[in-house]
Amino acid sequence: MMKEKFSLKADLVIGIGDLSKLTGVSTRQLRYWEERGYLETPITEKNITRKYKFEVFYKVQAIKKYLDEGFTLAKAAEQADQRKKQVIICKKFVNATFVDVSIADDEKLFGKIDMGYVDKEETQHLYGIVDKNGSHFEINKE
């Protein structure tokens, strides 16, 4: 018998009440945003609370953030969708280039991210550094 693979995106759901509590957006607002097409239609069964795919949590947070910054609902939802696309591109880039992480300080979470070579000759390595000064890049020649 083949084991079913768990997918965080597909399998995790959140009820409308919990979504409201976690984001600070009322259930009434969530329903309105859904009616207007700004949120995906929830997973529903007869006589059961609305349940949303967990990824909706991030979109609701983003819409709320943009509303708080003064955007209209339509523009806030548009910005949230644009932000999601940007994050997807960043994830693709990091997954394609990421090599390793060296932890320099467990408590302060300082370290060095090895992003691989930046030249065809493979003599220069790109590192993302997180230290007491913040975050920055370094290129080291080998």
Side-chain angles (χ1 to χ4, degrees), residues 14-25:
I14 186 169
I16 191 168
D18 289 332
L19 182 59
S20 174
K21 286 177 193 168
L22 288 170
T23 60
V25 176

Side-chain angles (χ1 to χ4, degrees), residues 14 16-27 29-30 33 54 56-62 64-65 68:
I14 186 169
I16 191 168
D18 289 332
L19 182 59
S20 174
K21 286 177 193 168
L22 288 170
T23 60
V25 176
S26 72
T27 56
Q29 281 180 296
L30 292 170
W33 294 359
F54 192 76
V56 171
F57 166 77
Y58 297 106
K59 185 168 186 180
V60 170
Q61 279 190 307
K64 184 178 184 304
K65 173 190 171 291
D68 291 346

Side-chain angles (χ1 to χ4, degrees), residues 40-58:
E40 288 183 35
T41 304
I43 303 159
T44 56
E45 293 179 27
K46 195 174 182 179
N47 300 325
I48 293 182
T49 306
R50 288 171 136 74
K51 298 216 181 268
Y52 294 88
K53 292 180 181 177
F54 192 76
E55 64 187 37
V56 171
F57 166 77
Y58 297 106

Side-chain angles (χ1 to χ4, degrees), residues 111 113 126-139:
I113 303 166
L126 176 65
Y127 294 98
I129 309 296
V130 178
D131 60 20
K132 65 182 180 194
N133 299 318
S135 301
H136 61 279
F137 290 104
E138 288 181 5
I139 295 178

Side-chain angles (χ1 to χ4, degrees), residues 10-139:
D11 298 338
L12 256 177
V13 294
I14 186 169
I16 191 168
D18 289 332
L19 182 59
S20 174
K21 286 177 193 168
L22 288 170
T23 60
V25 176
S26 72
T27 56
R28 186 176 184 170
Q29 281 180 296
L30 292 170
R31 286 186 187 98
Y32 177 75
W33 294 359
E34 178 193 327
E35 288 169 12
R36 301 285 303 199
Y38 299 124
L39 297 180
E40 288 183 35
T41 304
I43 303 159
T44 56
E45 293 179 27
K46 195 174 182 179
N47 300 325
I48 293 182
T49 306
R50 288 171 136 74
K51 298 216 181 268
Y52 294 88
K53 292 180 181 177
F54 192 76
E55 64 187 37
V56 171
F57 166 77
Y58 297 106
K59 185 168 186 180
V60 170
Q61 279 190 307
I63 290 173
K64 184 178 184 304
K65 173 190 171 291
Y66 292 121
L67 286 172
D68 291 346
E69 291 176 5
F71 287 85
T72 64
L73 177 57
K75 276 292 182 190
E78 184 180 309
Q79 287 292 112
D81 288 337
Q82 188 65 24
R83 186 66 173 173
K84 180 180 179 180
K85 291 173 187 173
Q86 291 170 339
V87 168
I88 289 169
I89 291 169
C90 289
K91 281 182 178 180
K92 285 181 179 181
F93 177 80
V94 169
N95 285 335
T97 60
F98 174 82
V99 176
D100 194 16
V101 174
S102 305
I103 299 171
D105 186 325
D106 279 336
E107 289 182 27
K108 295 180 182 173
L109 295 178
F110 293 157
K112 180 165 66 172
I113 303 166
D114 183 349
M115 297 300 293
Y117 293 106
V118 295
D119 62 337
K120 289 181 184 178
E121 296 79 25
E122 296 187 352
T123 61
Q124 298 180 52
H125 239 90
L126 176 65
Y127 294 98
I129 309 296
V130 178
D131 60 20
K132 65 182 180 194
N133 299 318
S135 301
H136 61 279
F137 290 104
E138 288 181 5
I139 295 178

